[in-house]
Amino acid sequence: MCGIVGYIGKEPLISFLLNGLSKLEYRGYDSAGIAIHKQDSIKVFKAQGKLDNLRSLLKGNEEDEKAFIGIGHIRWATHGVPNEINAHPHVSFENKVALVHNGIIENYKELKEELTVKGFVFQSQTDTEVIAHLIEDCLKDTKDFGHALRCALKKLDGAYALGVLFKEDPETLYAAKKNAPLIVGLSDKGNYIASDVPALLEYTKKVIYLNDLEVAEIKENSIKITDIEGKILNRKPEIIPWEPISINKMGYKHFMLKEIHEQPDVIRQTLFNRLTNQTDPIKLDEVKLTEESLKNLKRIQIIACGTSLHAALVGKYLIEEFIGLPVDVEASSEYIYKRVVSDKNSLTIGVSQSGETADTITALRLAKEKGSHILVITNRPDSTMARDADSLLPINAGFEVSVAATKSYTAQLLAFYLLALKLAEINKSLPAEKLEEYKKELLHLPHKVEMILNHTEEIKKCAIKFNSSKDFIFIARGINYPVALEGALKLKEISYINATGYPAGELKHGPIAMLDKTMPVVAILVPGKVFEKVLSNSEESKAREARMIAVTSSDDKKLESVFKYILKVPQTDEIFSPILTTIPLQLLAYYIAEFLGKDVDQPRNLAKSVTVE
Ligand code: M6R
């Protein structure tokens, strides 16, 4: 999704803006632009498409490196098509203000009407442009630029992270935020802004995370932060505990493939210090609820979007199975528009790779208002969600570049296994031997994932065979049903092939009408409670001539008469099988997309971090 950078200081400006934006590129975008303050005016450069187009546009402007202050942006279109006019920065009517914006201004239509009546002329179809004109309008009544910015902000409904330049204030970079992340970076070579940490890591680790409704007035050697009324706030910088991120494919063709192959280590990392031995209790010191309150929980709800929602569904299954407590799973975007049923006896778990998904942030805040304890499972302990949380369970998957989530999903699953087993320990709801057996199997999973990754020939064959299919159906039951949903989502996201996941028992209630000899059906079936049931649903599909593919750990000969392609995973207890059955589906999606020549790491229309509602 959109990304912001800005700098004030004497280091090469354009190099920073382009490099900073390149570190945010992985988030997905469709145009890019920068604005710099040069000789009493603001110069703007914008280009549709990838950052390279902006780089080409800037060739021959090397002199601009010496400019002292500038802002940059990559845009993921929300209002108006992705073209040069709608790209940021946007400039006010009389060119007095230039700004970049992440977020959505909900009342932009009303504001646009008011400003049009006042004589402001709009160039773009964006919501952002109103902010530039609004600040310029406020400047009519004051010479204080910070005041003009705050005056405009008070009129905005919605979400914003802003970097702002004023033509008549060449010594200050302005920034503000509400419901969208923005950080200020401090260094002895000048000061920075960015919408996410990776943009700054090469330059500084000393940052201030702006809070909602704060405004920063940033000079080369000083920073003033005020609230929306102009009251000066005393904000102390903190040090980001990250090393510069090496955004490097390490010889893999795509980040997605690299990240799929990182999964054995990611599992080890997520287990590290939490489960080292099957006979020891699981350590989850991050969960700040007392054992007593955990025992007294009446209900758990899990809120998430996309792939994280699929991890949540596995989490529901585990907690209900291990401790018998009711668990509701809701898509964040649904949760926020219904009556919030939550209280102090409930635990609300938010799951998010990025920790910045707008819908999930809002949903968790609503649950918190009702008194629920908020536990966040995220890959970004520095994110808004993590900072809002009462308890934080980091998943240690490492930086995930590919828009399609893979290793973060597996690490989220691991977090749920640890949490569910911890709850079972506390509630003594599983026999001690069973608990031990489960912990032992968890420790074996990294090796079993390695075994799948070392034998991908059959998956590749399958991808070659099926890449021209127009539709796919994924079926499973029980704990593998969310895996069917995730397999279908992965395929859709990166290959643009229509794919749907169903509980296998639902086939006969409608989807079976779709089956004929052109339709691939991927069945996930492992020995256990529902094996025979999924097999029988697969036989029903085969009887309709569907092209059958199995993901299984079973050696049962019966499978050969039903499935033309059998993608094997090592044996494990059914309860742990999602960790293994997911991997061939990630690879199947990857190889199909790669074969079709798709932009695997940055699929069309998608963003890594969905910071707008
Ligand atoms: O960062 P989050 O986990 O909150 O993101 C949620 C979804 O946007 C995300 O999982 C999305 O579905 C990915 N593209 C999945 O590959």
Side-chain angles (χ1 to χ4, degrees):
M1 204 144 262
C2 307
I4 289 177
V5 293
Y7 174 64
I8 177 162
K10 298 194 185 68
E11 294 295 301
L13 176 66
I14 309 254
S15 302
F16 163 73
L17 295 176
L18 291 176
N19 188 36
L21 289 176
S22 76
K23 295 292 188 294
L24 302 178
E25 258 190 311
Y26 73 96
R27 300 160 66 97
Y29 69 104
D30 37 51
S31 57
I34 62 167
I36 59 171
H37 209 291
K38 189 86 193 292
Q39 287 154 354
D40 297 331
S41 70
I42 294 175
K43 278 172 91 173
V44 175
F45 303 86
K46 307 202 260 191
Q48 189 181 337
K50 297 290 181 198
L51 216 46
D52 274 345
N53 298 347
L54 181 64
R55 280 196 189 95
S56 309
L57 190 71
L58 286 163
K59 287 229 166 80
N61 290 285
E62 282 72 21
E63 264 301 293
D64 291 335
E65 276 291 26
K66 292 186 200 132
F68 179 62
I69 172 170
I71 48 180
H73 192 261
I74 48 177
R75 172 177 187 253
W76 184 85
T78 57
H79 297 66
V81 294
N83 63 15
E84 200 182 304
I85 294 174
N86 290 330
H88 300 207
H90 286 281
V91 178
S92 62
F93 187 45
E94 291 178 7
N95 294 323
K96 291 184 177 170
V97 181
L99 58 83
V100 288
H101 166 225
N102 287 357
I104 288 180
I105 302 305
E106 280 158 17
N107 60 340
Y108 84 100
K109 284 196 179 127
E110 296 88 305
L111 292 170
K112 191 168 177 173
E113 268 169 35
E114 282 170 29
L115 288 161
T116 307
V117 171
K118 287 184 177 178
F120 287 88
V121 178
F122 283 76
Q123 308 292 334
S124 76
Q125 300 161 296
T126 65
D127 53 333
T128 299
E129 193 183 347
V130 293
I131 316 173
H133 297 315
L134 203 56
I135 300 172
E136 189 169 276
D137 193 36
C138 288
L139 268 178
K140 287 180 184 148
D141 302 323
T142 178
K143 292 222 164 340
D144 179 334
F145 301 101
H147 182 75
L149 174 56
R150 288 186 290 271
C151 143
L153 296 180
K154 285 183 193 164
K155 299 184 180 163
L156 302 179
D157 289 339
Y160 56 77
L162 291 170
V164 186
L165 300 182
F166 287 95
K167 181 175 160 226
E168 283 153 12
D169 187 2
E171 305 279 312
T172 319
L173 166 62
Y174 291 81
K177 85 146 226 144
K178 183 183 160 206
N179 292 339
L182 197 66
I183 51 180
V184 180
L186 296 77
S187 93
D188 50 14
K189 292 183 175 153
N191 292 318
Y192 303 84
I193 57 168
S195 54
D196 200 0
V197 169
L200 296 189
L201 280 175
E202 270 177 46
Y203 304 89
T204 182
K205 287 190 185 176
K206 197 171 169 190
V207 300
I208 296 173
Y209 289 87
L210 283 187
N211 291 325
D212 282 351
L213 300 175
E214 287 182 353
V215 176
E217 300 182 21
I218 304 163
K219 307 241 182 230
E220 185 186 10
N221 299 313
S222 66
I223 292 165
K224 178 170 114 185
I225 296 182
T226 68
D227 67 10
I228 193 90
E229 300 302 337
K231 185 176 147 228
I232 296 180
L233 304 170
N234 183 14
R235 299 288 320 280
K236 294 258 176 299
E238 45 193 291
I239 303 296
I240 319 169
W242 292 35
E243 290 312 311
I245 293 154
S246 107
I247 300 197
N248 187 326
K249 294 190 191 126
M250 308 295 283
Y252 288 96
K253 185 164 179 195
H254 294 101
F255 283 107
M256 182 178 176
L257 190 59
K258 171 179 168 254
E259 286 158 4
I260 289 174
H261 279 267
E262 282 170 353
Q263 292 178 108
D265 281 341
V266 164
I267 301 176
R268 291 187 185 103
Q269 267 310 112
T270 306
L271 294 178
F272 183 68
N273 272 344
R274 291 168 173 157
L275 175 65
T276 30
N277 194 313
Q278 72 227 43
T279 50
D280 295 343
I282 288 173
K283 276 204 246 147
L284 280 188
D285 302 340
E286 299 96 333
V287 179
K288 301 292 177 218
L289 281 170
T290 59
E291 290 208 356
E292 208 43 41
S293 347
L294 284 172
K295 270 190 198 157
N296 289 333
L297 283 177
K298 295 283 172 285
R299 179 173 164 244
I300 294 181
Q301 54 182 352
I302 316 180
I303 302 171
C305 304
T307 290
S308 298
L309 184 65
H310 300 154
L313 288 168
V314 175
K316 167 186 166 73
Y317 192 99
L318 292 174
I319 297 170
E320 290 184 344
E321 193 71 16
F322 289 173
I323 61 166
L325 190 71
V327 180
D328 298 316
V329 174
E330 300 232 31
S332 317
S333 52
E334 289 301 311
Y335 188 87
I336 53 189
Y337 290 108
K338 63 184 202 46
R339 183 170 165 186
V340 175
V341 186
S342 190
D343 60 28
K344 63 180 174 32
N345 294 320
S346 70
L347 169 66
T348 303
I349 305 175
V351 193
S352 174
Q353 186 286 128
S354 63
E356 297 295 351
T357 301
D359 287 332
T360 309
I361 293 175
T362 309
L364 293 176
R365 286 179 178 165
L366 290 172
K368 191 167 182 160
E369 272 170 25
K370 295 279 178 182
S372 181
H373 184 95
I374 307 295
L375 165 65
V376 165
I377 296 177
T378 182
N379 200 25
R380 293 293 300 268
D382 58 326
S383 60
T384 305
M385 247 179 254
R387 301 163 83 77
D388 278 0
D390 299 310
S391 296
L392 171 66
L393 188 44
I395 57 172
N396 308 339
F399 199 66
E400 191 174 63
V401 177
S402 177
V403 166
T406 54
K407 61 175 181 171
S408 62
Y409 168 76
T410 302
Q412 288 167 350
L413 293 188
L414 249 292
F416 275 117
Y417 282 101
L418 289 168
L419 181 65
L421 286 173
K422 183 75 207 168
L423 291 172
E425 266 177 19
I426 293 172
N427 286 285
K428 299 198 176 17
S429 55
L430 286 177
E433 315 74 66
K434 195 75 194 162
L435 256 178
E436 217 171 277
E437 189 191 308
Y438 279 166
K439 288 184 201 170
K440 187 172 169 196
E441 185 53 16
L442 261 187
L443 292 164
H444 284 154
L445 289 176
H447 177 59
K448 293 187 177 180
V449 173
E450 264 156 7
M451 287 163 72
I452 305 173
L453 294 171
N454 289 339
H455 298 282
T456 55
E457 306 71 25
E458 201 58 22
I459 306 172
K460 282 182 196 151
K461 264 195 227 157
C462 216
I464 291 172
K465 193 80 193 162
F466 289 97
N467 65 65
S468 58
S469 298
K470 297 277 171 278
D471 301 280
F472 268 74
I473 285 180
F474 290 70
I475 55 169
R477 285 179 173 218
I479 197 162
N480 275 296
Y481 163 53
V483 176
L485 297 179
E486 178 58 10
L489 180 67
K490 264 324 58 104
L491 185 62
K492 271 187 286 217
E493 282 188 304
I494 59 171
S495 70
Y496 321 143
I497 293 173
N498 182 39
T500 316
Y502 293 106
E506 277 294 299
L507 261 192
K508 57 185 169 296
H509 298 289
I512 203 164
M514 300 287 296
L515 301 188
D516 63 17
K517 60 177 186 287
T518 66
M519 179 69 86
V521 172
V522 182
I524 302 136
L525 66 173
V526 298
K529 268 189 205 165
V530 290
F531 179 81
E532 292 296 338
K533 294 288 170 201
V534 183
L535 185 56
S536 135
N537 299 134
S538 303
E539 276 162 347
E540 288 158 15
S541 307
K542 164 117 175 122
R544 272 84 189 170
E545 295 187 80
R547 303 166 78 193
M548 302 304 295
I549 305 164
V551 174
T552 186
S553 55
S554 166
D555 294 324
D556 194 329
K557 290 281 169 235
K558 274 188 287 190
L559 297 186
E560 286 165 22
S561 61
V562 181
F563 296 99
K564 179 116 193 256
Y565 292 88
I566 299 184
L567 310 179
K568 287 296 290 285
V569 297
Q571 288 182 359
T572 183
D573 191 293
E574 184 186 19
I575 204 90
F576 293 110
S577 58
I579 299 271
L580 304 184
T581 51
T582 299
I583 313 286
L585 299 183
Q586 293 173 341
L587 286 166
L588 182 65
Y590 171 79
Y591 288 125
I592 289 180
E594 203 252 309
F595 190 86
L596 294 173
K598 302 294 183 203
D599 188 351
V600 173
D601 287 329
Q602 289 182 18
R604 70 182 183 204
N605 304 338
L606 292 181
K608 185 69 185 159
S609 162
V610 183
T611 48
V612 295
E613 218 190 273

